[in-house]
Amino acid sequence: MIPANPTERDGRFLLNKVPEVTLVFWIIKIMSTTVGETGADYLAVHVGLGTSITTAITVSLLLVALVWQISTRRYVPAIYWLTVVLISVVGTQLTDFLTDKLDISLYVSTCAFAVILAATFAIWYARERTLSIHTIVTTRRELFYWTAILFTFALGTAAGDLATEALSLGFNLGVVIFGALIAVITLAYYLGANAVLTFWLAYILTRPLGASLGDLLSQARDYGGLGFGTIYTSIAFLTVIVLLVAILSANDGQKSAQAKARSA
């Protein structure tokens, strides 16, 4: 049985590899989903790479980032959030590939990703007896974690596209609906609902919220957007993400220095 806060005395256990769930965590998460939506569209459509080439490039970059992330023995803000941004792009591309290239219905892909994510959680819990992000202290748990993250992005993309496009709710209403659902889950958490369940539900819903927000900002006015374009929306959100991650990195460095000073 792996303890909640294991030591590294036998070399197998790591420090927790996931950041604290704070307001900054959710801001970066939502913005990374927006970048995943607008960034993927920019590379595939405006640069002209197409879905297949864009997917190949982003998957390669994600694999490099994952190896880098998993090879670290503690949470490093820059590496962690780079991985999240790239996995957001890949999750978006995965859904878009099924829809655009294989002509698979968004109803089917949404249901399929929901089943795959549920299976991931079931296997994860069966092996580890916990789905808490506060105990990502072994490589196996981290692999389960990132697998779940990938499918939350894919599911969120499919569900968001289903709501805003197939069901014709539009970007404005999509932002309102998904924002309201997250607010309900947040209220449920503060009223005593299970912390692990509410976290993962909110994590899934931030994907369609971020995608709807990205489409609202980037799409042309004729299509219900504000017309800022994918490149400017992506740059703006990436800039904020980089600034926030820089602040987190500075704070993390200060904490590490203080910890070393106390142990000296």
Side-chain angles (χ1 to χ4, degrees):
M1 183 69 176
I2 299 173
N5 295 295
T7 66
E8 296 184 76
R9 62 181 180 275
D10 59 0
R12 292 183 300 163
F13 298 140
L14 312 170
L15 298 177
N16 192 44
K17 301 288 289 294
V18 177
E20 296 180 16
V21 181
T22 62
L23 179 60
V24 172
F25 174 95
W26 290 115
I27 291 173
I28 299 177
K29 169 59 171 64
I30 293 172
M31 287 191 166
S32 69
T33 65
T34 303
V35 170
E37 183 74 11
T38 58
D41 288 346
Y42 177 73
L43 292 174
V45 179
H46 296 280
V47 176
L49 297 179
T51 303
S52 299
I53 295 178
T54 300
T55 300
I57 292 173
T58 53
V59 167
S60 299
L61 292 174
L62 173 60
L63 290 175
V64 172
L66 278 173
V67 170
W68 193 10
Q69 163 68 23
I70 292 172
S71 66
T72 63
R73 296 191 62 79
R74 67 181 186 88
Y75 163 64
V76 179
I79 302 173
Y80 175 86
W81 287 111
L82 172 64
T83 307
V84 170
V85 170
L86 288 171
I87 211 167
S88 172
V89 176
V90 170
T92 299
Q93 286 298 107
L94 180 59
T95 299
D96 289 347
F97 180 80
L98 294 177
T99 304
D100 300 335
K101 294 296 184 180
L102 302 183
D103 199 28
I104 294 176
S105 166
L106 286 168
Y107 293 93
V108 174
S109 59
T110 299
C111 292
F113 284 131
V115 171
I116 294 172
L117 180 60
T120 301
F121 283 137
I123 297 170
W124 181 358
Y125 187 80
R127 295 299 300 271
E128 303 294 333
R129 310 311 298 175
T130 179
L131 299 177
S132 173
I133 66 164
H134 301 299
T135 58
I136 309 300
V137 292
T138 67
T139 299
R140 187 169 69 185
R141 287 188 182 183
E142 189 170 11
L143 290 173
F144 276 126
Y145 173 79
W146 288 113
T147 301
I149 294 299
L150 173 62
F151 289 120
T152 62
F153 277 112
L155 172 59
T157 301
D161 289 348
L162 176 64
T164 58
E165 297 176 16
L167 298 180
S168 302
L169 295 181
F171 309 133
N172 291 283
L173 192 54
V175 170
V176 172
I177 290 175
F178 291 119
L181 288 173
I182 292 173
V184 170
I185 291 172
T186 302
L187 178 62
Y189 167 75
Y190 282 108
L191 290 177
N194 183 272
V196 174
L197 175 62
T198 52
F199 170 82
W200 285 113
L201 288 175
Y203 203 96
I204 293 169
L205 288 171
T206 53
R207 178 62 187 87
L209 173 63
S212 297
L213 179 60
D215 286 334
L216 175 64
L217 294 171
S218 64
Q219 295 298 317
R221 295 180 184 274
D222 293 341
Y223 295 99
L226 297 178
F228 292 115
T230 54
I231 185 169
Y232 292 113
T233 302
S234 299
I235 290 174
F237 277 65
L238 273 174
T239 300
V240 175
I241 290 173
V242 169
L243 289 174
L244 290 175
V245 171
I247 294 172
L248 292 176
S249 298
N251 291 338
D252 184 65
Q254 290 179 352
K255 290 180 181 178
S256 298
Q258 291 172 357
K260 289 180 180 179
R262 286 195 298 267
S263 63

